[in-house]
Amino acid sequence: MAETAASGPGMPQLDVTTFSNQIFWLVVAMVVLYFVMSRVALPRVASVLADRRSAITADIAAAEEYKLKAQEAEEAFKKAEADARAEAARIVEAAKAEMQEALNAQIAKADAEIASKSAESEKRIREITANAVEMVNEVSTDVTKDILAAFDVKADARSVNAAVKAQMKGDA
Amino acid sequence: MAEESGGLHIAPMDQFRVESLFGGDIAWYTPTNVTLWMALTVVAATLLMVFGARGRAMVPSRAQSAAEMTYGFIYKMVEDVAGHDAVRFFPYIFTLFMFVLFANLLGLIPFAFTTTSHIAVTAVLAFTVFFTVTALGFILHGTKFLKLFWVSSAPLALRPVLALIEVISYFVRPVSHSIRLAGAMMAGHAVAKVFAGFAAALGAFFFLPILAVTALYALELLVAVIQAYVFTILTCVYLKDALHPAH
Amino acid sequence: MEGDIVQMGAYIGAGLACLGMGGAGIGVGHVAGNYLAGALRNPSAAAGQTAFLFIGIAFAEALGIFSFLVALLLMFAV
């Protein structure tokens, strides 16, 4: 532009003739922008931010509540579990006791049987032993009589018997 | 001028010319490229903050997320730097940030006009902040606001000297506040233009300046955002001085 | 002739003004380097200090931009 170059110095910034124009349009622009910002833009953004903040606070509160509920549910579950465990333990204990009782009864019965059987056996053994002793007595008396007869020794039956008995006692 | 005498025909400052959109002289009401690009800045900021956040979704879309992040970022900055009672100035600070940010970013489009590269624009922004903050300090604290310049923790003999320095630095604030933004924008664009001019002059090695311009462009993108951030955070710092003037 | 000398002086001055940018570069590097050193010592406190990092960088950088501005003024406005 020839006229601006001619009217002003080399730096357009120092061309005083354009100052009033620039300042006028600057004031217009600033006033318009100020009203747009302060009346429309900033309240809107502020309300959006406030809404979001309150929504986040509400959500956090709800989450806190849900957490509490979850904790309660967990506690209830734990309690139920503990109850079930106790019940199961009780049942197991009862079954064990029952089994122990049955076992004890069986053992007692078996013991009794064994005892009776062994008593019987003992008795028979004793009988057999007694018989054997009797027979040994008889045999030794006879043998003694025979030996005495062979040697022509007179001896009455009673003293032979007594001697054999004494001999047997000493052995036994 | 340089470009008329040298072999290179680089006019790095031409891109900052204010030109009438429909021809004719420039009066204060004439629609110029300043008007066009400021309107685009307003439209871009509105698109992001109003139409981006239109969904009001609980789970935000990409644009809504960007709008919310920008909101949260500036809100936190105001609260952290200027204190909790500065939140009532939040819309104003947010407007400043959005305007500077989008003006800087739109200015990076090739052939665009960077409104924030003009001292007139940034000076108005900075002096508005300066006068607002100063008036606010006197309204809230009366003459106690002047304690800002009287460093009570310093030795008594040093205090007048420090007060002088503090007063000077206080009045330099709007100047550096505005020139920093305009200068950073102007510097980046002028350097990009100069490098682009080298590409035409170097012939077969045209790709070297183009690579440089590409790297510079990335840097400028960073600078555009950081300058908007710095402009806003300095506004917050000045606001803090007005709200809590005690050292 | 006189105009040429003035222009030469302006260009030399513009070049000299650019030396100021080196100072700004040192300043910005100092701020960023000290921030990094502090952040490595105490990473948990680093996030809260980024605002001050940027404020410090902005103040240091502003002086470089002033020198750039002086250069531009000498080139185009004198």
Side-chain angles (χ1 to χ4, degrees):
Chain A
M1 289 265 148
E3 64 231 7
T4 47
S7 63
M11 264 175 85
Q13 276 87 350
L14 299 178
D15 185 358
V16 189
T17 53
T18 64
F19 275 18
S20 57
N21 182 275
Q22 293 191 46
I23 291 169
F24 169 68
W25 289 114
L26 172 67
V27 170
V28 170
M30 283 301 283
V31 168
V32 169
L33 192 62
Y34 180 77
F35 276 100
V36 169
M37 289 294 137
S38 64
R39 292 290 145 88
V40 185
L42 297 182
R44 182 180 294 180
V45 174
S47 78
V48 169
L49 288 180
D51 282 357
R52 183 169 313 137
R53 200 168 303 135
S54 64
I56 286 170
T57 331
D59 283 359
I60 286 174
E64 204 67 37
E65 206 170 290
Y66 284 132
K67 198 178 161 195
L68 271 179
K69 271 185 190 164
Q71 271 173 354
E72 268 166 31
E74 199 189 349
E75 259 159 41
F77 168 74
K78 271 189 183 155
K79 195 164 165 278
E81 198 192 10
D83 285 355
R85 268 181 205 284
E87 180 75 14
R90 207 176 55 72
I91 289 168
V92 167
E93 207 56 47
K96 246 189 207 168
E98 213 167 281
M99 275 163 73
Q100 192 65 42
E101 216 167 275
L103 194 62
N104 284 348
Q106 292 281 348
I107 287 171
K109 203 171 149 198
D111 278 353
E113 234 162 74
I114 290 165
S116 72
K117 271 194 182 152
S118 60
E120 208 171 293
S121 312
E122 241 167 67
K123 200 171 130 198
R124 277 182 58 197
I125 290 166
R126 231 176 275 133
E127 265 169 32
I128 292 166
T129 321
N131 281 351
V133 168
E134 195 87 351
M135 274 163 80
V136 167
N137 268 350
E138 255 167 50
V139 169
S140 12
T141 312
D142 287 350
V143 168
T144 311
K145 275 176 185 169
D146 286 349
I147 292 168
L148 285 173
F151 283 105
D152 286 332
V153 180
K154 286 274 188 196
D156 60 322
R158 272 177 69 192
S159 60
V160 171
N161 271 353
V164 169
K165 247 178 202 158
Q167 203 65 38
M168 290 293 287
K169 249 180 200 155
D171 279 1
Chain B
M1 288 215 267
E3 57 267 32
E4 282 159 9
S5 53
L8 294 173
H9 292 281
I10 303 167
M13 305 314 274
D14 277 5
Q15 57 181 322
F16 302 120
R17 278 218 191 111
V18 177
E19 285 164 358
S20 177
L21 282 182
F22 308 110
D25 286 342
I26 297 172
W28 60 270
Y29 52 84
T30 318
T32 54
N33 46 2
V34 179
T35 319
L36 174 67
W37 287 100
M38 278 183 183
L40 286 178
T41 303
V42 172
V43 167
T46 310
L47 274 181
L48 175 64
M49 293 310 295
V50 176
F51 293 96
R54 185 185 43 191
R56 291 171 169 271
M58 208 39 95
V59 178
S61 63
R62 229 179 286 182
Q64 191 184 337
S65 190
E68 283 167 10
M69 274 164 66
T70 318
Y71 180 97
F73 178 66
I74 302 299
Y75 194 90
K76 196 170 169 295
M77 187 204 290
V78 173
E79 223 175 20
D80 287 355
V81 177
H84 191 71
D85 47 350
V87 164
R88 62 201 152 122
F89 298 102
F90 170 65
Y92 177 56
I93 292 170
F94 192 79
T95 308
L96 265 183
F97 177 74
M98 291 311 273
F99 183 82
V100 175
L101 178 71
F102 276 102
N104 288 353
L105 289 178
L106 288 175
L108 284 175
I109 298 170
F111 301 110
F113 176 78
T114 320
T115 50
T116 40
S117 70
H118 274 261
I119 303 281
V121 172
T122 57
V124 169
L125 294 176
F127 274 98
T128 313
V129 170
F130 177 74
F131 287 126
T132 312
V133 161
T134 310
L136 190 74
F138 278 112
I139 289 168
L140 287 180
H141 303 284
T143 50
K144 280 184 189 164
F145 181 59
L146 293 174
K147 278 188 180 167
L148 183 66
F149 307 115
W150 195 251
V151 187
S152 50
S153 58
L156 192 64
L158 274 179
R159 280 183 208 172
V161 183
L162 282 177
L164 188 66
I165 293 172
E166 289 279 337
V167 168
I168 291 173
S169 83
Y170 189 80
F171 284 100
V172 166
R173 272 177 181 184
V175 177
S176 70
H177 201 187
S178 56
I179 288 181
R180 178 182 301 113
L181 177 57
M185 287 298 106
M186 200 201 314
H189 287 76
V191 170
K193 188 76 181 284
V194 168
F195 271 93
F198 285 166
L202 280 177
F205 294 103
F206 66 92
F207 56 89
L208 289 176
I210 287 179
L211 286 178
V213 170
T214 311
L216 190 71
Y217 200 87
L219 180 70
E220 281 306 301
L221 207 61
L222 184 71
V223 166
V225 178
I226 285 184
Q227 287 300 328
Y229 173 71
V230 163
F231 194 90
T232 318
I233 204 166
L234 286 177
T235 305
C236 292
V237 170
Y238 300 159
L239 189 61
K240 187 201 76 180
D241 280 348
L243 295 173
H244 314 283
H247 256 282
Chain C
M1 184 60 197
E2 201 182 314
D4 285 348
I5 292 173
V6 167
Q7 200 174 36
M8 186 183 78
Y11 286 170
I12 291 174
L16 288 176
C18 287
L19 294 178
M21 291 179 204
I26 293 170
V28 171
H30 207 65
V31 172
N34 280 335
Y35 171 78
L36 192 60
L40 288 175
R41 273 174 205 272
N42 187 2
S44 57
Q49 305 302 320
T50 41
F52 294 105
L53 168 71
F54 281 110
I55 292 173
I57 286 180
F59 279 131
E61 188 204 22
L63 301 172
I65 288 172
F66 289 164
S67 71
F68 170 73
L69 199 73
V70 169
L72 279 183
L73 288 173
L74 286 172
M75 291 266 292
F76 297 108
V78 172

